[in-house]
Amino acid sequence: MEMEDYIRKLRERKAIAAGTPKDAEAQHQKGRLTARERLALLFDPDSFNEIDTLVMPRYESYMGGKGSRYGDGVVTGFGLVNGRQVFAAAQDASVMGGSLGEMHANKIVKAMRMALAYGCPFVALNDSGGARIQEGVDSLAGYARIFDTNCEASGVIPQISVILGPCAGGAVYSPGLTDFIFMTENSYMFITGPEVVKSVMQENVSQEELGGGRVHATESGVAHFLATDDRECLQKVRELLSYLPSNNVNDPPYVPPRDDPERRCPELEHIVPVDPQKPYDVRQVIASIVDDGRFLEVHELWAQNMVVGFARLDGYVVGIVANQPQVLAGTIDIKASIKAAHFIRICDTYNVPIITLQDVPGFLPGTSQEYGGIIRNGARLIYAYSEATVPKLMIILRKSYGGAYCVMSSKGLRGDLLYAWPNAELAVMGAAGAVNILFRNEVKAAANPEARRQELIDEYQEKFNNPYVAAARGLIDDVIEPRDSRRVLIRALHVTLSKRERHVPKKHGISPM
Ligand code: HXC
C-alpha cells in the first residue's frame, strides 16, 4: 500500500467518528448542537486537539448496539480558551444517545487525569442517556471512576460541568462534584425521571418541572449559571474561565486595567439610602466600585438575598460577597449561607481575594429556617470565611447586626482590612429591639412611655449604633466616605496580595454539612 492509501483509511475512520450530516440535523432539530460544534464554540478558533478519536468499545458484543462508532460517544481533547490550555470532554448524543460505556468512561477519566497532571481546567459537556444499558456494570464502574477523579481533582484544577441535554440517574453526581454547573433552558438533570416519580410518589411532573435548567437555577441552586441555548452557554463558560487560574498554585489572570484605580464613586452616596428601612440593589454598588462596572454573577437566580460573583479591581480578579437588601431585607437564610460558603471556598481555592459588602439585619428567623438546619448551614459560612487564607477585605455599607456581623468577614474571623461608611450601624441588634429588652420597665413606668421610648432609642442610636465604637476598638480599620470605596479597596488589595497564611497542619477539618 502507498502512503496515500494509509492516509485515506485513516481519514475514513476519522470521518466515521465525526458522524453524518443526518446526526447533526437530529441534534439541531432538538435545538442543540453536536459535540464538535460545541467544542468549536468553547475553544479559541482552530485550537482544539482531539485525542482518543479511534477508541472503540472493548468487547464485540457491545458493538451489537447499532449506534456504536469510533470515539465511543464522547469527544475528548485539549485546546486554548482565552489563550490558556483547557481539557474537555463532550458527549456525542448521536452515538447510542451519548450513553456512557466502559471505554467512553475511560476516555473521560484519561482526559481528566491529564488535566490534573498538567494543571489545566477541565470542562465536561454533558448530553447523555446515562449508563449504557448493554454494558451493565462496566458502565456503572466507569461512572465511579469519573466520580473518584472528580474528587481527586477538586481543589486543584477548576472543574466545570455544562449540561446541554439529558443528564439523569447517578450521572448527575459528576456535575454535582464539580465547581460550577451551567445549564441551558432545554437541558435537564434528575436522579430519577418523571416515570419513576409517578410510579413511586404518584406525582405527575414533566422533565422541565422536575429538573429543567430553570428549576435548577432558581429552586435547587444546583445550576450556577443558566443560558438560553448552547451558544450563549459556552460563551459564558469562556467568560467564567477568564476569572479563574489554571490551577490552585497559579494566580487568576491579571488584565491590565483601563479603569482609574483612584476613581471616586460619588454615586454611592445616592445608591444606598441612609434610611435603614429602604431597600436598594447592591449590584449597583458593585458596578460602581469594580473595574468598568463588569461583574460576573454566580447563582444569579438562586438565594438572591446574597449576591456573589467575580469582578476585577485594578486588573486583579476579586470575588464579591454582598448582602442584597432588596430581597428578604438582606437577611441571611440557609440558601444564602450555602451560596456564599460555596463561593468563598471557590475563591480561597483559586487564590481570589474576597471583598465583602455588608448590609445585613441578621439571620432570617422562623421555624422553617430552624427545622431546615440554619444552625448547621449558617455555620458553613463561618467555616468558609475562617478557613479562607486569601485577602479578606470588607466595607460595611449600612447594617451589621448580631450574629450576621460575626459571620461576615469580621476581625474575629481574621478579616484583613475592614472599613465602614459613616452611616453604618454595628450593634447586637437594632435600637428599637434593644430598648424594648433593656428598658421595658423604665418605659412602662414613664409618664409618657412613647416619648421615653423614643428618647432611649435616640440615645442608643447615638451611643452604640454607629461605626465609631467598633473603630475605637480596632474591630474595623477605618471609617471612610462612600465615594472613596473603590480607591480604598484597591489600596487595601495591593498591600494584602502578598498575604501568606497557613493553617494548623491537619488531615482536614470537618466542615459542617
Ligand atoms: C444505551 C441508549 C441509552 C442508554 C439512549 N440510548 N439511552 N443506549 N443505553 N442508557 C440509545 C437509544 O436506544 C437510541 O438508539 C439512541 O440512544 C437515541 O435515543 P432516543 O431515545 O431515540 O433519543 P431521545 O428521544 O433524544 O431521548 C434521549 C433520552 C432517552 C432522553 C436520553 O434515550 C432515554 O430516556 N434514555 C434512557 C435514559 C436512562 O434511563 N438511562 C439510565 C439512567 S440510570 P437507536 O439505536 O434507536 O438510535 C443511570 C445510572 C448511572 O444512568 C449510575 C451512575 C452511578
Side-chain angles (χ1 to χ4, degrees):
M1 267 202 319
E2 299 297 318
M3 179 53 103
E4 58 197 39
D5 296 320
Y6 286 107
I7 292 173
R8 184 174 43 77
K9 281 188 181 300
L10 169 65
R11 286 183 180 165
E12 277 168 14
R13 284 182 160 86
K14 290 207 168 174
I16 292 169
T20 63
K22 221 171 110 204
D23 296 330
E25 185 52 35
Q27 274 292 92
H28 294 167
Q29 272 175 4
K30 292 177 199 161
R32 298 180 187 141
L33 299 175
T34 66
R36 286 180 178 77
E37 285 168 341
R38 287 166 174 165
L39 289 166
L41 288 170
L42 173 64
F43 286 94
D44 296 350
D46 197 25
S47 77
F48 183 67
N49 308 279
E50 193 171 328
I51 54 176
D52 283 340
T53 313
L54 302 175
V55 156
M56 289 290 282
R58 190 199 294 269
Y59 302 114
E60 198 59 28
S61 60
Y62 294 162
M63 294 170 64
K66 51 188 159 133
S68 175
R69 209 166 74 199
Y70 287 120
D72 203 23
V74 62
V75 183
T76 56
F78 60 95
L80 300 175
V81 175
N82 309 315
R84 291 184 304 142
Q85 298 287 355
V86 170
F87 277 80
Q91 291 179 312
D92 182 348
S94 69
V95 183
M96 291 188 272
S99 59
L100 183 139
E102 182 194 12
M103 297 309 286
H104 179 122
N106 284 358
K107 278 184 69 169
I108 295 175
V109 170
K110 183 170 160 184
M112 289 171 83
R113 294 223 163 260
M114 284 185 181
L116 185 54
Y118 314 140
C120 306
F122 185 81
V123 181
L125 309 185
N126 294 54
D127 185 351
S128 169
R132 188 174 299 159
I133 297 158
Q134 302 91 315
E135 298 203 28
V137 73
D138 285 334
S139 151
L140 302 182
Y143 269 118
R145 286 198 300 280
I146 294 174
F147 301 162
D148 189 51
T149 315
N150 282 132
C151 296
E152 210 166 317
S154 178
V156 184
I157 52 168
Q159 298 185 80
I160 296 173
S161 299
V162 191
I163 316 300
L164 299 165
C167 181
V172 298
Y173 284 117
S174 175
L177 288 163
T178 59
D179 300 339
F180 294 102
I181 299 181
F182 288 73
M183 290 186 77
T184 51
E185 295 266 10
N186 73 350
S187 67
Y188 51 89
M189 290 175 92
F190 34 65
I191 294 280
T192 51
E195 290 303 320
V196 178
V197 172
K198 192 173 173 186
S199 67
V200 179
M201 309 299 290
Q202 287 80 49
E203 198 182 324
N204 272 316
V205 66
S206 69
Q207 282 180 343
E208 290 68 32
E209 287 164 340
L210 187 60
R214 185 153 289 276
V215 163
H216 282 308
T218 57
E219 294 296 326
S220 70
V222 164
H224 302 89
F225 297 94
L226 177 68
T228 49
D229 56 22
D230 292 10
R231 206 170 287 276
E232 186 194 278
C233 193
L234 293 161
Q235 189 50 44
K236 272 195 180 172
V237 175
R238 287 175 60 84
E239 191 183 348
L240 174 64
L241 282 167
S242 76
Y243 288 101
L244 298 174
S246 296
N247 54 61
N248 66 327
V249 292
N250 285 4
D251 285 328
Y254 169 81
V255 173
R258 282 172 307 177
D259 206 344
D260 179 4
E262 294 289 302
R263 175 171 59 78
R264 299 299 209 286
C265 313
E267 64 279 8
L268 288 173
E269 285 152 31
H270 309 290
I271 293 172
V272 179
V274 171
D275 179 352
Q277 307 305 327
K278 286 206 173 135
Y280 62 93
D281 185 354
V282 77
R283 284 172 300 195
Q284 288 180 16
V285 176
I286 297 168
S288 158
I289 291 175
V290 302
D291 288 2
D292 307 312
R294 287 175 70 97
F295 177 55
L296 177 65
E297 192 168 348
V298 179
H299 264 150
E300 184 181 347
L301 302 173
W302 186 67
Q304 292 174 315
N305 43 333
M306 187 74 84
V307 173
V308 302
F310 296 103
R312 282 190 163 79
L313 273 179
D314 202 26
Y316 294 97
V317 176
V318 292
I320 310 272
V321 178
N323 306 111
Q324 173 59 292
Q326 73 175 13
V327 179
L328 292 173
T331 50
I332 302 176
D333 62 355
I334 292 169
K335 289 179 179 176
S337 302
I338 294 172
K339 172 172 169 175
H342 168 263
F343 184 71
I344 290 164
R345 298 199 91 196
I346 291 276
C347 290
D348 191 44
T349 298
Y350 298 121
N351 311 313
V352 176
I354 298 160
I355 311 282
T356 302
L357 300 175
Q358 189 181 141
D359 187 350
V360 58
F363 282 92
L364 185 67
T367 47
S368 77
Q369 290 296 302
E370 297 293 353
Y371 295 175
I374 184 68
I375 297 173
R376 188 179 66 241
N377 289 295
R380 295 194 206 205
L381 182 53
I382 303 176
Y383 203 99
Y385 266 122
S386 169
E387 191 181 47
T389 55
V390 289
K392 294 182 277 199
L393 313 178
M394 175 165 75
I395 299 181
I396 298 172
L397 308 177
R398 209 168 53 169
K399 282 174 271 189
S400 177
Y401 283 120
Y405 155 83
C406 307
V407 306
M408 297 282 295
S409 202
S410 63
K411 273 287 175 205
L413 295 175
R414 279 169 290 139
D416 289 291
L417 280 157
L418 312 181
Y419 300 93
W421 286 358
N423 54 308
E425 301 178 359
L426 282 85
V428 172
M429 62 177 68
V435 167
N436 285 347
I437 293 171
L438 294 176
F439 301 106
R440 195 178 336 162
N441 293 337
E442 187 179 330
V443 168
K444 224 192 260 172
N448 183 343
E450 206 29 60
R452 181 64 189 139
R453 199 169 155 274
Q454 194 52 53
E455 217 173 82
L456 286 164
I457 287 175
D458 293 345
E459 205 176 308
Y460 179 93
Q461 202 78 9
E462 177 67 25
K463 269 198 191 149
F464 300 112
N465 214 4
N466 58 57
Y468 299 107
V469 182
R473 286 156 178 71
L475 293 171
I476 53 173
D477 298 288
D478 202 3
V479 181
I480 62 165
E481 293 187 29
R483 64 179 56 211
D484 291 335
S485 298
R486 173 176 163 80
R487 66 198 292 260
V488 164
L489 282 175
I490 287 176
R491 289 171 178 212
L493 182 65
H494 283 160
V495 74
T496 52
L497 276 174
S498 54
K499 180 181 174 188
R500 292 286 174 265
E501 192 179 308
R502 293 279 173 271
H503 289 298
V504 179
K506 55 185 160 184
K507 189 170 177 189
H508 54 68
I510 304 171
S511 172
M513 304 244 174

